[in-house]
Amino acid sequence: AQKVTQAQTEISVVEKEDVTLDCVYETRDTTYYLFWYKQPPSGELVFLIRRNSFDEQNEISGRYSWNFQKSTSSFNFTITASQVVDSAVYFCALSEESGANNLFFGTGTRLTVIP
Amino acid sequence: ETGVTQTPRHLVMGMTNKKSLKCEQHLGHNAMYWYKQSAKKPLELMFVYSLEERVENNSVPSRFSPECPNSSHLFLHLHTLQPEDSALYLCASSRGWLAGETDTQYFGPGTRLTVL
């Protein structure tokens, strides 16, 4: 079974719109870590955020914000006032305490911001 | 110097060729990883090295052979590949690799491999 599900394969928004990328995870561990990475056309996976399972506080970093909800096993990512440079594939990933440092990735969401 | 570098960025090879992918990390990390990224599939972990010792080998065919001569360098030697091996190969590094610890993995730009 897929441990990380990103149901949105592709999203298109017009510049300055807000957009939320969904991530649902599945684990039996009580201690786990969630990540978001951005992959621009250049190919490199850029680390955006890491959150552990004991910290449900939402986080904001500039135009980026993350909503972690254990009750629904979700870790959603919102970009406010989107810009063309936000166009990329975004990956959500899970690491379990029982699994050393192995990362389980979702299939990614391709975001296109239209000028 | 960027954190994780990979060379070459693009590689086209025939099925009978032998080539190597190189990864170098400048972050002082002790763990390095090879991932395969194919179209419409999740990233697949191939190999993990911790302190130059291979600690994970996820059922990868023997035509892929990793080498980690030191904690800063990781190679992936390729021979007699198949067209379905065409993919983006990503290298990553992290501070460590141990049960009970999770360190953030930092990725390189990848090598786009095409097997003809």
Side-chain angles (χ1 to χ4, degrees):
Chain A
Q2 188 77 352
K3 286 184 179 280
V4 178
T5 301
Q6 294 180 255
Q8 304 151 307
T9 307
E10 295 191 31
I11 301 177
S12 291
V13 298
V14 176
E15 201 171 18
K16 297 184 185 173
E17 285 184 348
D18 298 348
V19 58
T20 295
L21 310 182
D22 298 334
C23 174
V24 174
Y25 62 92
E26 183 181 329
T27 180
R28 293 185 178 177
D29 283 27
T30 54
T31 302
Y32 53 89
Y33 300 82
L34 295 163
F35 301 80
W36 276 95
Y37 286 86
K38 173 183 179 181
Q39 188 176 40
S42 59
E44 180 177 353
L45 277 166
V46 178
F47 166 71
L48 295 179
I49 190 171
R50 160 195 161 128
R51 177 51 52 89
N52 75 54
S53 52
F54 297 108
D55 183 3
E56 281 194 77
Q57 200 169 16
N58 290 332
E59 180 151 342
I60 298 174
S61 175
R63 295 184 297 107
Y64 294 171
S65 62
W66 290 270
N67 183 1
F68 177 27
Q69 296 210 343
K70 287 176 81 169
S71 60
T72 55
S73 297
S74 65
F75 186 44
N76 296 338
F77 172 30
T78 297
I79 302 174
T80 57
S82 59
Q83 300 176 2
V84 173
V85 292
D86 296 328
S87 296
V89 181
Y90 290 86
F91 291 93
C92 180
L94 164 74
S95 179
E96 300 168 311
E97 183 183 47
S98 62
N101 210 30
N102 292 346
L103 273 177
F104 298 96
F105 283 88
T107 49
T109 297
R110 180 178 298 278
L111 173 66
T112 302
V113 181
I114 303 164
Chain B
E1 182 72 85
T2 51
V4 181
T5 58
Q6 290 185 243
T7 55
R9 294 295 309 277
H10 300 272
L11 178 62
V12 179
M13 59 188 288
M15 289 191 284
T16 57
N17 290 159
K18 287 186 182 182
K19 296 285 184 184
S20 295
L21 310 185
K22 179 183 175 183
C23 175
E24 185 173 357
Q25 59 94 2
H26 310 273
L27 300 168
H29 289 167
N30 291 316
M32 296 187 77
Y33 310 74
W34 278 117
Y35 286 86
K36 176 183 178 182
Q37 185 178 26
S38 307
K40 303 200 192 306
K41 290 175 69 174
L43 269 80
E44 302 170 57
L45 178 64
M46 299 174 73
F47 301 104
V48 181
Y49 276 81
S50 175
L51 296 171
E52 297 139 52
E53 234 183 87
R54 192 190 310 182
V55 293
E56 283 273 322
N57 177 356
N58 285 351
S59 304
V60 179
S62 59
R63 57 186 184 269
F64 295 92
S65 173
E67 179 191 0
C68 188
N70 56 62
S71 60
S72 298
H73 293 87
L74 184 65
F75 294 89
L76 189 62
H77 304 299
L78 317 170
H79 63 97
T80 58
L81 293 192
Q82 305 297 312
E84 60 264 29
D85 296 323
S86 299
L88 180 67
Y89 288 85
L90 290 160
C91 174
S93 71
S94 68
R95 268 187 318 177
W97 187 93
L98 281 173
E101 292 185 12
T102 291
D103 292 320
T104 300
Q105 293 181 29
Y106 295 90
F107 286 79
T111 294
R112 173 73 60 188
L113 174 67
T114 303
V115 181
L116 301 176

